[in-house]
Structure formats: structure tokens, C-alpha cells
Amino acid sequence: SSSGWRLGRGLVARAKARELRKIREAALQAMVAATPGEDIEALRTAIKGAKDAGLPNYPAGKAKFDEAEKRLATLEAELKARKEAEAALEAAVAGTDIPALEAALKKAVDCKSDNKPLIERGEKRVEFLKEEERRAEEERKRKEEEERKLAELKAAAEKDASKKAELEAAQAAAAEAEKKSAAEAAAREAAAAGGDAAIVAQAEQEAEAVKAEEEAKQVAEE
């Protein structure tokens, strides 16, 4: 009968409505759970699921949907700032400007950079440059004293020819000291670069180990 057909149709419609409501509720719960987190991809997926379920068409769902989209925009802005700060730090690590490096390091930390090897390299580079600055000051003072003594010897040699050999020996020693100082500075720079490479290599090894562990877990679960 037509009334039976209508009843059957009504039951199907109600069942379908209940199913859609369940889907909306599940999508809403997933989105609400993802909103306070830091995982951008999880939040993007949850927002897409909520949109597909039609949540923005319902007042209660719309408010939560808007909140989630606002949170996503914040996370994306933070990610962009973090990437920019890390790029600036990477550039500063390659330089010798201590204030610029310290500022770049602070910004990367303030932006919650999780690039630990880069932060570590930045901190070590600051230490290295400050130590080099201290050494350079010592070297400057040594050279000043050396130049003063050479000037005295030169003046003495002009008056007394027997002092000429002493002057030449002092000049040769000064040239040798200059070469030694430059070689030591180059060796320290090379050692620092080697330390940088070791930090990066260790981080890559740790990342590979974590990846292998996750893959093993997935295989075990399957």
C-alpha cells in the first residue's frame, strides 16, 4: 500500500539521517581533538573531513569549524616563520657575524624550531667565533709587541752593523709566527666544520633509525 511504502521510505530516510549525523559527529570529534594540537597535516585532514560531512552548514558545527580553520592559519603562519628563522640561522652559521648569529639563533629558538642539529651547530658556532675573537685579540697584542721590538732592533741596527743579524733573525721569526698563526686558525676552522658535519650525520642516522622502527611497527601490526 501507499502508506506502507511511505512508512518504509520514511524509515530509510530516518536511518540515512542518523547515519549522516553519526558521520558529522565523528568528523566533529576528530576536528575538535585535532584543533589544540601542533600537527598541521592531522588538522588539515580533520577540517577536510568536517567539510565533506557538511559541518559548516550547522550552527554548532560552524563555530567549531571556524575555530579549527583559525587554528590551522595560526599553525601555518608559525610554520612559515619557523622555516624562515631556520633559513636565516643556516645562513648566519656560515658567516662570522656574532651578533647576527646570536639574533638568528634566538629567533629560531623563539619560533620553536625542532631542528636540533641546526640549533646545536648555531650554539657551537657562537662559542667558536667568540673563542676566535679572543684569540685574535691576543694575536693583535702579540704582533704589536713584536712590531715594537722589531722597530727597536731596526733602529739599533742602523747605528750598529753587528745588530743586523739579530734583526734579520727576529724578522724571520716574526714571519714564521705569522704563518704558524694562520695555519692554526685554518686548522681550527676545519675542525669546526668537521664537527658540524658530524652533528648533521648523527641527526640523519637517528632519523633513519626512527623511520626503520616505525616501518617495523607497521609491518608487525599488519
Side-chain angles (χ1 to χ4, degrees), residues 58-222:
Y58 296 84
K62 178 81 167 68
K64 294 292 182 186
F65 186 82
D66 290 348
E67 190 184 320
E69 282 209 314
K70 191 177 174 186
R71 173 67 178 159
L72 179 60
T74 299
L75 287 176
E76 285 174 338
E78 286 175 357
L79 177 63
K80 184 172 180 281
R82 202 153 52 239
K83 294 293 177 195
E84 286 171 358
E86 286 170 356
L89 178 54
E90 191 70 65
V93 164
T96 55
D97 187 331
I98 295 173
L101 177 53
E102 285 180 324
L105 191 55
K106 184 181 183 302
K107 192 166 185 183
V109 170
D110 289 347
C111 286
K112 299 174 188 171
S113 168
D114 57 358
N115 190 336
K116 288 178 185 174
L118 177 58
I119 300 291
E120 189 180 343
R121 282 168 56 216
E123 288 168 346
K124 285 190 180 298
R125 184 67 175 165
V126 168
E127 286 173 18
F128 173 78
L129 290 175
K130 283 184 173 178
E131 177 60 17
E132 285 302 294
E133 206 174 56
R134 185 190 66 75
R135 286 176 188 270
E137 181 58 21
E138 282 181 0
E139 181 65 8
R140 186 187 63 76
K141 286 177 180 174
R142 184 195 68 75
K143 281 174 85 171
E144 268 183 10
E145 181 62 16
E146 186 180 73
E147 282 165 11
R148 186 187 64 77
K149 285 179 179 175
L150 282 172
E152 283 177 3
L153 274 172
K154 195 174 179 183
E158 281 169 2
K159 291 176 185 173
D160 184 350
S162 67
K163 297 275 184 186
K164 194 177 177 186
E166 192 182 339
L167 171 63
E168 285 171 355
Q171 285 171 331
E176 194 56 40
E178 181 73 21
K179 276 169 69 179
K180 186 185 174 191
S181 176
E184 284 173 353
R188 286 194 302 273
E189 185 70 55
D196 262 10
I199 290 167
V200 173
Q202 188 183 347
E204 284 172 354
Q205 281 176 357
E206 286 170 3
E208 283 297 319
V210 169
K211 189 180 173 186
E213 197 179 313
E214 284 173 356
E215 284 172 357
K217 268 186 196 172
Q218 283 174 355
V219 169
E221 284 168 6
E222 285 168 8

Side-chain angles (χ1 to χ4, degrees), residues 35-63:
T35 299
E38 301 285 331
D39 190 331
I40 289 181
E41 283 312 312
L43 185 53
R44 276 187 190 136
T45 303
I47 286 172
K48 186 184 181 303
K51 197 172 185 178
D52 291 346
L55 263 179
N57 302 326
Y58 296 84
K62 178 81 167 68

